[in-house]
Amino acid sequence: MAEGRFRVGYALLPKKRESFIQDSLVALAGSRGVDLVRIDAGRPLVDQGPFDCVLHKLYGEDWRRQLEEFTARNPNAVVLDSPDAIERLHNRISMLQVVSELRVESESESFGIPNQIVIYDKETLVDKHAWASLKFPVIAKPLVADGSAKSHKMSLVFNHDVLHKLKPPIVLQEFVNHGGVIFKVYVVGEYVKCVKRKSLPDVTEEKQGSLQGCLSFSQVSNLTTQEKNDDRYYRSMHLEDAEMPPQSFMTEIAKGLRRAMKLNLFNFDVIRDARNGHRYLVIDINYFPGYAKMPNYEPVLTDFFCDLAQKLGKNLAKCSGKEDCSEKSKF
Ligand SMILES: O=P(O)(O)O[C@@H]1[C@@H](OP(=O)(O)O)[C@H](OP(=O)(O)O)[C@H](O)[C@H](OP(=O)(O)O)[C@H]1OP(=O)(O)O
Ligand SMILES: Nc1ncnc2c1ncn2[C@@H]1O[C@H](COP(=O)(O)OP(=O)(O)O)[C@@H](O)[C@H]1O
Ligand SMILES: [Mg+2]
Ligand SMILES: [Mg+2]
Protein backbone atom coordinates (compact mmCIF):
# COMPACT_ATOMS: atom_id res chain seq x y z
CA MET A 1 0.00 0.00 0.00
CA ALA A 2 1.35 3.45 -0.94
CA GLU A 3 3.06 4.94 2.13
CA GLY A 4 1.30 7.95 3.57
CA ARG A 5 -1.84 7.57 1.41
CA PHE A 6 -5.29 6.59 2.62
CA ARG A 7 -7.13 4.46 0.07
CA VAL A 8 -10.92 4.66 0.11
CA GLY A 9 -12.65 2.15 -2.17
CA TYR A 10 -16.18 3.14 -3.18
CA ALA A 11 -18.97 0.80 -4.29
CA LEU A 12 -21.94 2.89 -5.46
CA LEU A 13 -24.71 2.62 -8.03
CA PRO A 14 -24.11 4.68 -11.18
CA LYS A 15 -26.49 7.54 -10.17
CA LYS A 16 -24.83 7.93 -6.79
CA ARG A 17 -21.35 7.58 -8.26
CA GLU A 18 -22.04 10.33 -10.78
CA SER A 19 -23.38 12.77 -8.19
CA PHE A 20 -20.92 12.00 -5.38
CA ILE A 21 -17.60 11.27 -7.10
CA GLN A 22 -17.09 14.75 -8.57
CA ASP A 23 -13.66 15.71 -9.91
CA SER A 24 -13.59 18.49 -7.30
CA LEU A 25 -13.91 15.93 -4.47
CA VAL A 26 -11.35 13.55 -5.98
CA ALA A 27 -8.84 16.38 -6.45
CA LEU A 28 -9.27 17.85 -2.97
CA ALA A 29 -9.13 14.48 -1.24
CA GLY A 30 -6.10 13.54 -3.36
CA SER A 31 -4.28 16.73 -2.40
CA ARG A 32 -4.66 15.73 1.25
CA GLY A 33 -3.46 12.16 0.86
CA VAL A 34 -6.80 10.41 0.32
CA ASP A 35 -7.27 8.32 -2.85
CA LEU A 36 -10.84 7.56 -3.92
CA VAL A 37 -10.74 4.32 -5.86
CA ARG A 38 -13.69 2.78 -7.70
CA ILE A 39 -14.64 -0.77 -6.71
CA ASP A 40 -15.77 -2.89 -9.65
CA ALA A 41 -19.01 -4.52 -8.44
CA GLY A 42 -18.60 -7.13 -11.19
CA ARG A 43 -15.45 -8.58 -9.58
CA PRO A 44 -14.92 -10.04 -6.10
CA LEU A 45 -14.12 -7.30 -3.59
CA VAL A 46 -11.33 -9.34 -1.99
CA ASP A 47 -9.48 -9.40 -5.34
CA GLN A 48 -9.43 -5.59 -5.43
CA GLY A 49 -7.62 -3.02 -3.36
CA PRO A 50 -5.79 -2.75 -1.08
CA PHE A 51 -8.23 -0.46 0.73
CA ASP A 52 -8.00 1.21 4.13
CA CYS A 53 -11.72 1.91 3.95
CA VAL A 54 -14.71 0.71 1.91
CA LEU A 55 -17.47 3.24 1.31
CA HIS A 56 -20.64 1.62 -0.01
CA LYS A 57 -24.34 1.89 -0.77
CA LEU A 58 -25.08 -1.51 -2.30
CA TYR A 59 -27.44 -4.10 -0.88
CA GLY A 60 -28.16 -7.80 -1.13
CA GLU A 61 -26.86 -11.02 0.38
CA ASP A 62 -24.00 -11.40 -2.05
CA TRP A 63 -22.63 -7.94 -1.26
CA ARG A 64 -22.97 -8.60 2.47
CA ARG A 65 -20.95 -11.82 2.13
CA GLN A 66 -18.30 -9.99 0.12
CA LEU A 67 -17.96 -7.36 2.84
CA GLU A 68 -17.68 -10.09 5.52
CA GLU A 69 -14.95 -11.84 3.57
CA PHE A 70 -13.17 -8.54 2.99
CA THR A 71 -13.28 -7.69 6.72
CA ALA A 72 -12.06 -11.16 7.70
CA ARG A 73 -9.05 -10.79 5.41
CA ASN A 74 -8.45 -7.10 6.22
CA PRO A 75 -9.19 -6.71 9.93
CA ASN A 76 -7.60 -3.25 10.03
CA ALA A 77 -9.78 -1.84 7.25
CA VAL A 78 -13.02 0.02 7.97
CA VAL A 79 -16.35 -0.61 6.23
CA LEU A 80 -18.56 2.50 6.08
CA ASP A 81 -21.08 1.70 7.36
CA SER A 82 -21.86 -1.77 8.68
CA PRO A 83 -24.64 -3.51 6.69
CA ASP A 84 -26.42 -4.45 9.94
CA ALA A 85 -26.54 -0.81 11.03
CA ILE A 86 -27.76 0.30 7.59
CA GLU A 87 -30.46 -2.40 7.55
CA ARG A 88 -32.42 -0.65 10.31
CA LEU A 89 -33.13 2.18 7.86
CA HIS A 90 -34.75 -0.16 5.34
CA ASN A 91 -37.90 -0.42 7.41
CA ARG A 92 -39.85 2.77 8.17
CA ILE A 93 -40.84 1.48 11.63
CA SER A 94 -37.40 0.43 12.92
CA MET A 95 -36.00 3.60 11.29
CA LEU A 96 -38.05 5.92 13.53
CA GLN A 97 -38.04 3.66 16.62
CA VAL A 98 -34.58 4.96 17.40
CA VAL A 99 -35.92 8.55 17.42
CA SER A 100 -38.63 7.61 19.93
CA GLU A 101 -36.01 6.13 22.24
CA LEU A 102 -33.68 9.13 22.06
CA ARG A 103 -33.42 11.59 24.97
CA VAL A 104 -32.16 15.14 24.33
CA GLU A 105 -32.46 17.79 27.01
CA SER A 106 -33.80 21.19 25.95
CA GLU A 107 -35.68 23.84 27.90
CA SER A 108 -37.55 25.25 24.95
CA GLU A 109 -37.66 22.68 22.13
CA SER A 110 -39.06 19.17 21.90
CA PHE A 111 -38.95 16.46 19.26
CA GLY A 112 -40.53 13.14 18.37
CA ILE A 113 -42.19 11.33 15.48
CA PRO A 114 -45.75 11.66 14.10
CA ASN A 115 -48.40 9.19 15.28
CA GLN A 116 -48.28 6.15 13.07
CA ILE A 117 -49.33 2.53 12.71
CA VAL A 118 -48.10 -0.27 10.52
CA ILE A 119 -50.48 -2.39 8.44
CA TYR A 120 -49.32 -5.72 7.08
CA ASP A 121 -52.44 -7.00 5.28
CA LYS A 122 -55.61 -5.92 3.45
CA GLU A 123 -57.93 -7.20 6.20
CA THR A 124 -56.39 -4.93 8.84
CA LEU A 125 -56.54 -2.03 6.41
CA VAL A 126 -60.33 -2.12 6.34
CA ASP A 127 -60.67 -2.87 10.06
CA LYS A 128 -61.59 0.46 11.65
CA HIS A 129 -60.15 -0.55 15.05
CA ALA A 130 -56.71 -0.61 13.42
CA TRP A 131 -56.72 3.07 12.48
CA ALA A 132 -59.13 4.40 15.12
CA SER A 133 -56.23 6.12 16.92
CA LEU A 134 -55.19 8.08 13.81
CA LYS A 135 -56.35 11.52 12.79
CA PHE A 136 -56.84 12.12 9.04
CA PRO A 137 -55.24 13.15 6.73
CA VAL A 138 -52.53 10.51 6.88
CA ILE A 139 -49.61 9.66 4.62
CA ALA A 140 -49.38 6.07 3.48
CA LYS A 141 -45.71 5.10 3.08
CA PRO A 142 -44.37 1.74 1.90
CA LEU A 143 -42.97 -0.08 4.95
CA VAL A 144 -39.85 -0.97 3.02
CA ALA A 145 -37.43 1.89 2.37
CA ASP A 146 -34.81 0.19 0.23
CA GLY A 147 -34.13 3.03 -2.20
CA SER A 148 -36.29 1.56 -4.98
CA ALA A 149 -38.67 3.91 -6.84
CA LYS A 150 -41.54 1.92 -5.27
CA SER A 151 -40.31 2.63 -1.75
CA HIS A 152 -40.67 6.38 -2.36
CA LYS A 153 -44.28 6.18 -3.71
CA MET A 154 -46.61 7.68 -1.13
CA SER A 155 -50.24 8.77 -0.86
CA LEU A 156 -51.83 11.53 1.10
CA VAL A 157 -55.10 10.01 2.31
CA PHE A 158 -57.92 12.34 3.37
CA ASN A 159 -60.39 9.84 4.81
CA HIS A 160 -60.78 6.12 5.52
CA ASP A 161 -63.05 5.45 2.50
CA VAL A 162 -60.06 5.02 0.21
CA LEU A 163 -57.88 2.95 2.52
CA HIS A 164 -58.87 -0.23 0.67
CA LYS A 165 -57.01 1.05 -2.40
CA LEU A 166 -53.64 0.98 -0.60
CA LYS A 167 -51.17 -1.87 -0.89
CA PRO A 168 -49.81 -3.24 2.42
CA PRO A 169 -47.34 -3.54 4.01
CA ILE A 170 -47.59 0.17 4.69
CA VAL A 171 -47.08 2.71 7.43
CA LEU A 172 -50.00 5.10 7.99
CA GLN A 173 -48.54 8.27 9.46
CA GLU A 174 -50.48 11.35 10.50
CA PHE A 175 -49.86 14.26 8.17
CA VAL A 176 -48.58 17.19 10.23
CA ASN A 177 -48.96 20.71 8.84
CA HIS A 178 -45.49 22.29 8.79
CA GLY A 179 -45.66 25.39 6.59
CA GLY A 180 -44.43 23.60 3.47
CA VAL A 181 -40.78 23.58 4.58
CA ILE A 182 -38.70 20.54 5.47
CA PHE A 183 -35.29 20.60 7.15
CA LYS A 184 -32.71 18.11 6.01
CA VAL A 185 -30.01 17.43 8.56
CA TYR A 186 -26.89 15.95 6.97
CA VAL A 187 -24.48 14.00 9.16
CA VAL A 188 -20.90 13.13 8.17
CA GLY A 189 -19.27 11.61 11.25
CA GLU A 190 -19.24 14.43 13.79
CA TYR A 191 -20.17 17.09 11.23
CA VAL A 192 -23.82 18.21 11.13
CA LYS A 193 -25.41 20.56 8.59
CA CYS A 194 -29.08 21.54 8.41
CA VAL A 195 -30.59 22.90 5.17
CA LYS A 196 -34.13 23.89 4.11
CA ARG A 197 -36.14 22.41 1.25
CA LYS A 198 -39.66 22.77 -0.05
CA SER A 199 -42.11 20.17 1.19
CA LEU A 200 -45.81 19.33 0.83
CA PRO A 201 -48.16 22.29 1.44
CA ASP A 202 -50.32 22.44 4.57
CA VAL A 203 -53.76 20.84 4.40
CA THR A 204 -56.41 23.17 5.80
CA GLU A 205 -59.74 21.83 7.06
CA GLU A 206 -61.45 23.64 4.20
CA LYS A 207 -59.10 22.03 1.66
CA GLN A 208 -59.49 18.62 3.28
CA GLY A 209 -63.28 18.84 2.95
CA SER A 210 -63.08 19.67 -0.74
CA LEU A 211 -60.53 16.98 -1.58
CA GLN A 212 -61.74 13.51 -2.40
CA GLY A 213 -59.91 10.28 -1.61
CA CYS A 214 -56.16 10.46 -1.90
CA LEU A 215 -53.26 12.11 -3.72
CA SER A 216 -50.16 10.21 -4.81
CA PHE A 217 -46.67 11.70 -4.79
CA SER A 218 -43.01 10.73 -4.77
CA GLN A 219 -39.75 12.43 -3.66
CA VAL A 220 -41.15 15.94 -3.15
CA SER A 221 -37.89 17.35 -1.83
CA ASN A 222 -36.16 16.21 -5.01
CA LEU A 223 -38.42 18.06 -7.46
CA THR A 224 -36.36 19.79 -10.13
CA THR A 225 -36.19 23.56 -10.33
CA GLN A 226 -38.22 23.37 -13.55
CA GLU A 227 -40.96 21.36 -11.81
CA LYS A 228 -41.06 23.89 -8.97
CA ASN A 229 -41.12 26.81 -11.42
CA ASP A 230 -44.08 25.29 -13.24
CA ASP A 231 -46.13 24.82 -10.12
CA ARG A 232 -48.29 27.65 -8.74
CA TYR A 233 -47.88 26.49 -5.15
CA TYR A 234 -44.09 26.27 -5.29
CA ARG A 235 -43.89 29.63 -7.10
CA SER A 236 -45.79 31.26 -4.26
CA MET A 237 -43.52 29.83 -1.57
CA HIS A 238 -40.57 31.72 -0.18
CA LEU A 239 -38.18 29.26 1.34
CA GLU A 240 -35.78 32.00 2.38
CA ASP A 241 -38.38 33.36 4.84
CA ALA A 242 -38.51 30.12 6.84
CA GLU A 243 -36.67 30.27 10.15
CA MET A 244 -34.05 27.58 10.73
CA PRO A 245 -34.39 25.28 13.77
CA PRO A 246 -31.88 25.94 16.58
CA GLN A 247 -28.55 24.54 15.33
CA SER A 248 -27.53 23.20 18.75
CA PHE A 249 -30.78 21.25 19.11
CA MET A 250 -30.44 19.63 15.67
CA THR A 251 -26.79 18.83 16.43
CA GLU A 252 -27.73 17.09 19.68
CA ILE A 253 -30.39 15.00 17.92
CA ALA A 254 -27.91 14.14 15.16
CA LYS A 255 -25.24 13.11 17.67
CA GLY A 256 -27.73 10.96 19.57
CA LEU A 257 -28.94 9.25 16.40
CA ARG A 258 -25.40 8.67 15.20
CA ARG A 259 -24.45 6.99 18.46
CA ALA A 260 -27.63 4.94 18.72
CA MET A 261 -27.58 3.76 15.09
CA LYS A 262 -23.78 3.35 14.85
CA LEU A 263 -23.87 5.14 11.50
CA ASN A 264 -21.53 7.83 10.18
CA LEU A 265 -23.18 8.78 6.89
CA PHE A 266 -26.87 9.67 6.89
CA ASN A 267 -29.38 12.48 6.86
CA PHE A 268 -32.76 12.89 8.50
CA ASP A 269 -35.85 14.87 7.49
CA VAL A 270 -37.39 17.11 10.13
CA ILE A 271 -40.60 19.17 10.05
CA ARG A 272 -41.70 21.88 12.50
CA ASP A 273 -45.24 21.33 13.79
CA ALA A 274 -47.36 24.31 12.66
CA ARG A 275 -49.46 23.99 15.85
CA ASN A 276 -46.39 24.32 18.08
CA GLY A 277 -43.38 26.15 16.68
CA HIS A 278 -41.07 24.56 19.26
CA ARG A 279 -41.92 20.97 18.36
CA TYR A 280 -39.91 19.12 15.71
CA LEU A 281 -40.86 15.79 14.15
CA VAL A 282 -38.41 13.44 12.47
CA ILE A 283 -40.16 11.75 9.54
CA ASP A 284 -37.40 10.01 7.57
CA ILE A 285 -33.78 8.86 7.91
CA ASN A 286 -31.71 8.08 4.80
CA TYR A 287 -28.42 6.22 4.52
CA PHE A 288 -25.68 7.93 2.42
CA PRO A 289 -27.96 10.66 1.03
CA GLY A 290 -27.19 13.09 -1.77
CA TYR A 291 -24.19 14.77 -0.17
CA ALA A 292 -23.35 16.65 -3.36
CA LYS A 293 -26.37 18.86 -2.52
CA MET A 294 -24.85 19.75 0.87
CA PRO A 295 -22.94 23.07 0.86
CA ASN A 296 -19.14 22.52 0.89
CA TYR A 297 -19.50 18.77 0.63
CA GLU A 298 -15.97 18.31 -0.75
CA PRO A 299 -14.03 19.76 2.25
CA VAL A 300 -16.47 18.19 4.71
CA LEU A 301 -16.06 14.70 3.26
CA THR A 302 -12.30 15.16 2.85
CA ASP A 303 -11.93 16.21 6.51
CA PHE A 304 -13.95 13.15 7.49
CA PHE A 305 -11.63 10.80 5.55
CA CYS A 306 -8.52 12.49 6.96
CA ASP A 307 -9.86 12.17 10.53
CA LEU A 308 -10.61 8.52 9.89
CA ALA A 309 -7.09 7.95 8.58
CA GLN A 310 -5.69 9.59 11.69
CA LYS A 311 -7.85 7.43 13.96
CA LEU A 312 -6.52 4.38 12.13
CA GLY A 313 -2.99 5.57 12.86
CA LYS A 314 -2.14 6.56 9.29
CA ASN A 315 0.09 9.60 8.78
CA LEU A 316 -0.97 11.22 5.54
CA ALA A 317 1.57 12.73 3.17
CA LYS A 318 0.03 15.96 1.90
CA CYS A 319 0.78 17.11 -1.62
CA SER A 320 2.45 20.47 -1.87
CA GLY A 321 0.86 23.43 -3.69
CA LYS A 322 -1.52 22.73 -6.55
CA GLU A 323 0.08 19.44 -7.52
CA ASP A 324 -2.55 16.74 -8.05
CA CYS A 325 -1.30 13.52 -6.53
CA SER A 326 -4.55 11.54 -6.57
CA GLU A 327 -4.47 8.24 -8.44
CA LYS A 328 -6.47 9.64 -11.37
CA SER A 329 -5.85 6.63 -13.65
CA LYS A 330 -8.03 4.52 -11.38
CA PHE A 331 -11.23 6.35 -12.35
O1 LIG B 1 -30.09 11.06 -5.37
P1 LIG B 1 -30.09 12.18 -4.40
O2 LIG B 1 -28.81 12.93 -4.41
O3 LIG B 1 -31.28 13.06 -4.55
O4 LIG B 1 -30.16 11.55 -2.92
C1 LIG B 1 -31.33 10.91 -2.46
C2 LIG B 1 -31.76 11.55 -1.15
O5 LIG B 1 -32.02 12.89 -1.33
P2 LIG B 1 -31.49 13.99 -0.27
O6 LIG B 1 -30.01 13.91 -0.17
O7 LIG B 1 -32.13 13.68 1.04
O8 LIG B 1 -31.95 15.23 -0.91
C3 LIG B 1 -33.04 10.84 -0.71
O9 LIG B 1 -33.61 11.46 0.42
P3 LIG B 1 -35.18 11.88 0.40
O10 LIG B 1 -35.91 10.83 -0.34
O11 LIG B 1 -35.22 13.21 -0.31
O12 LIG B 1 -35.55 11.99 1.84
C4 LIG B 1 -32.68 9.40 -0.37
O13 LIG B 1 -31.64 9.38 0.59
C5 LIG B 1 -32.19 8.72 -1.63
O14 LIG B 1 -31.74 7.43 -1.29
P4 LIG B 1 -32.68 6.17 -1.31
O15 LIG B 1 -33.42 6.23 -2.62
O16 LIG B 1 -33.63 6.34 -0.15
O17 LIG B 1 -31.75 5.04 -1.16
C6 LIG B 1 -31.01 9.45 -2.26
O18 LIG B 1 -30.83 8.84 -3.53
P5 LIG B 1 -29.53 8.02 -4.00
O19 LIG B 1 -28.63 9.04 -4.60
O20 LIG B 1 -28.93 7.34 -2.83
O21 LIG B 1 -30.09 7.08 -5.00
N1 LIG C 1 -45.93 12.99 8.61
C1 LIG C 1 -45.74 13.87 7.63
N2 LIG C 1 -46.38 15.08 7.69
C2 LIG C 1 -46.22 15.98 6.68
N3 LIG C 1 -45.48 15.77 5.58
C3 LIG C 1 -44.83 14.59 5.47
C4 LIG C 1 -44.94 13.59 6.49
N4 LIG C 1 -44.22 12.52 6.09
C5 LIG C 1 -43.68 12.84 4.89
N5 LIG C 1 -44.04 14.08 4.51
C6 LIG C 1 -43.68 14.72 3.22
O1 LIG C 1 -43.48 13.68 2.28
C7 LIG C 1 -42.11 13.65 1.81
C8 LIG C 1 -41.65 12.24 1.62
O2 LIG C 1 -41.73 11.51 2.82
P1 LIG C 1 -40.47 10.74 3.42
O3 LIG C 1 -40.93 9.99 4.61
O4 LIG C 1 -39.37 11.70 3.62
O5 LIG C 1 -40.14 9.69 2.27
P2 LIG C 1 -38.86 9.45 1.33
O6 LIG C 1 -38.10 8.34 1.97
O7 LIG C 1 -39.41 9.03 0.00
O8 LIG C 1 -38.10 10.73 1.27
C9 LIG C 1 -41.36 14.44 2.88
O9 LIG C 1 -40.19 14.99 2.34
C10 LIG C 1 -42.38 15.49 3.29
O10 LIG C 1 -42.44 16.52 2.30
MG1 LIG D 1 -37.35 11.91 2.86
MG1 LIG E 1 -36.16 8.41 2.69
Side-chain angles (χ1 to χ4, degrees):
M1 211 175 288
E3 249 330 280
R5 313 262 337 148
F6 189 66
R7 286 174 57 92
V8 178
Y10 59 85
L12 303 169
L13 291 175
K15 175 176 160 253
K16 184 60 116 199
R17 200 168 64 225
E18 278 153 28
S19 70
F20 184 76
I21 306 292
Q22 299 280 338
D23 288 349
S24 50
L25 173 67
V26 174
L28 182 65
S31 73
R32 294 189 49 198
V34 177
D35 294 319
L36 293 168
V37 183
R38 181 169 162 180
I39 292 168
D40 178 355
R43 288 199 298 130
L45 175 60
V46 285
D47 293 348
Q48 303 177 59
F51 302 121
D52 299 294
C53 168
V54 169
L55 190 66
H56 71 111
K57 188 171 178 176
L58 295 183
Y59 309 124
E61 274 314 302
D62 175 62
W63 178 243
R64 239 175 203 271
R65 264 193 301 274
Q66 293 212 43
L67 286 175
E68 278 164 19
E69 200 182 338
F70 171 82
T71 310
R73 290 207 206 171
N74 303 278
N76 295 328
V78 169
V79 170
L80 283 181
D81 280 300
S82 112
D84 283 338
I86 297 171
E87 183 89 36
R88 188 206 290 261
L89 300 185
H90 290 170
N91 173 302
R92 292 189 192 271
I93 293 293
S94 55
M95 170 204 282
L96 295 188
Q97 183 72 36
V98 63
V99 179
S100 310
E101 289 164 5
L102 196 67
R103 296 286 162 264
V104 172
E105 294 299 320
S106 168
E107 277 183 14
S108 48
E109 320 297 322
S110 72
F111 76 101
I113 63 172
N115 281 336
Q116 59 177 24
I117 56 166
V118 58
I119 301 230
Y120 292 100
D121 50 57
K122 280 262 178 200
E123 292 72 54
T124 319
L125 200 51
V126 289
D127 169 8
K128 64 175 172 209
H129 299 292
W131 38 259
S133 62
L134 286 183
K135 197 173 164 298
F136 284 83
V138 297
I139 295 197
K141 307 185 180 189
L143 176 62
V144 173
D146 60 1
S148 59
K150 207 171 127 196
S151 72
H152 290 293
K153 284 221 165 78
M154 319 217 154
S155 309
L156 183 53
V157 181
F158 299 103
N159 54 55
H160 48 74
D161 302 343
V162 286
L163 286 177
H164 67 277
K165 289 190 188 163
L166 303 172
K167 290 202 181 81
I170 49 167
V171 172
L172 292 181
Q173 186 179 83
E174 280 182 6
F175 178 87
V176 178
N177 280 341
H178 54 281
V181 176
I182 193 164
F183 303 101
K184 285 199 165 260
V185 185
Y186 289 89
V187 179
V188 182
E190 279 156 35
Y191 180 86
V192 179
K193 177 77 190 172
C194 179
V195 302
K196 314 181 228 191
R197 296 260 183 88
K198 288 184 181 181
S199 181
L200 292 179
D202 289 349
V203 179
T204 57
E205 274 185 28
E206 184 193 8
K207 206 155 59 175
Q208 193 180 346
S210 66
L211 287 164
Q212 295 286 312
C214 65
L215 274 176
S216 297
F217 64 94
S218 179
Q219 295 218 273
V220 192
S221 65
N222 268 339
L223 288 181
T224 61
T225 309
Q226 189 54 48
E227 281 165 318
K228 282 176 186 153
N229 287 346
D230 290 347
D231 188 288
R232 199 156 52 89
Y233 165 73
Y234 288 106
R235 273 206 312 267
S236 69
M237 250 192 62
H238 299 288
L239 200 55
E240 58 279 11
D241 296 341
E243 198 185 313
M244 290 296 277
Q247 167 76 20
S248 59
F249 190 53
M250 289 300 121
T251 303
E252 285 309 306
I253 297 176
K255 269 195 203 163
L257 289 178
R258 175 174 172 250
R259 239 178 269 132
M261 299 193 298
K262 298 193 169 59
L263 289 175
N264 288 285
L265 302 172
F266 64 96
N267 76 0
F268 54 100
D269 295 345
V270 182
I271 54 177
R272 181 165 44 217
D273 192 333
R275 293 163 302 188
N276 172 356
H278 295 286
R279 178 143 182 89
Y280 294 90
L281 300 162
V282 177
I283 54 167
D284 186 26
I285 310 180
N286 302 294
Y287 185 63
F288 203 145
Y291 283 118
K293 284 179 273 177
M294 179 180 83
N296 292 323
Y297 95 102
E298 298 97 330
V300 171
L301 267 299
T302 301
D303 282 350
F304 172 69
F305 294 134
C306 291
D307 288 350
L308 192 63
Q310 204 179 21
K311 280 185 193 138
L312 295 176
K314 193 124 189 170
N315 284 322
L316 297 185
K318 275 194 195 171
C319 295
S320 54
K322 288 193 175 128
E323 185 191 352
D324 180 4
C325 51
S326 62
E327 296 184 32
K328 269 258 158 85
S329 57
K330 297 273 171 3
F331 302 94

XYZ file of all heavy atoms in Angstrom, residues 92 95 152 269 284-286, ligand 4:
62
model
N -39.467 1.446 7.658
C -39.846 2.767 8.173
C -40.293 2.748 9.635
O -40.413 3.815 10.243
C -40.908 3.411 7.264
C -40.366 3.778 5.894
C -41.355 4.596 5.089
N -40.936 4.692 3.699
C -40.132 5.653 3.225
N -39.711 6.612 4.014
N -39.783 5.648 1.941
N -36.707 2.343 11.575
C -36.001 3.601 11.291
C -36.347 4.673 12.334
O -35.464 5.347 12.881
C -36.443 4.069 9.897
C -36.026 5.432 9.488
S -37.139 6.092 8.210
C -36.580 5.288 6.757
N -40.466 4.940 -2.528
C -40.673 6.382 -2.356
C -42.096 6.797 -2.753
O -42.447 7.974 -2.667
C -39.690 7.173 -3.221
C -38.265 7.082 -2.755
N -37.837 7.625 -1.564
C -37.174 6.495 -3.306
C -36.539 7.391 -1.427
N -36.110 6.706 -2.462
N -34.905 13.829 7.867
C -35.852 14.873 7.487
C -36.633 15.285 8.726
O -37.158 14.433 9.446
C -36.867 14.345 6.464
C -36.229 13.956 5.141
O -35.081 14.350 4.895
O -36.907 13.266 4.343
N -38.115 10.898 8.501
C -37.398 10.014 7.574
C -35.910 10.047 7.894
O -35.388 11.106 8.274
C -37.634 10.524 6.130
C -37.080 9.619 5.055
O -36.944 8.402 5.294
O -36.807 10.127 3.941
N -35.244 8.901 7.762
C -33.781 8.861 7.906
C -33.244 8.110 6.690
O -33.760 7.046 6.341
C -33.331 8.140 9.210
C -34.076 8.687 10.427
C -31.820 8.274 9.401
C -33.708 8.034 11.759
N -32.240 8.673 6.037
C -31.708 8.084 4.801
C -30.232 7.761 4.943
O -29.448 8.610 5.382
C -31.842 9.076 3.639
C -33.281 9.497 3.435
O -34.131 8.697 3.063
N -33.564 10.766 3.720
Mg -36.163 8.407 2.691
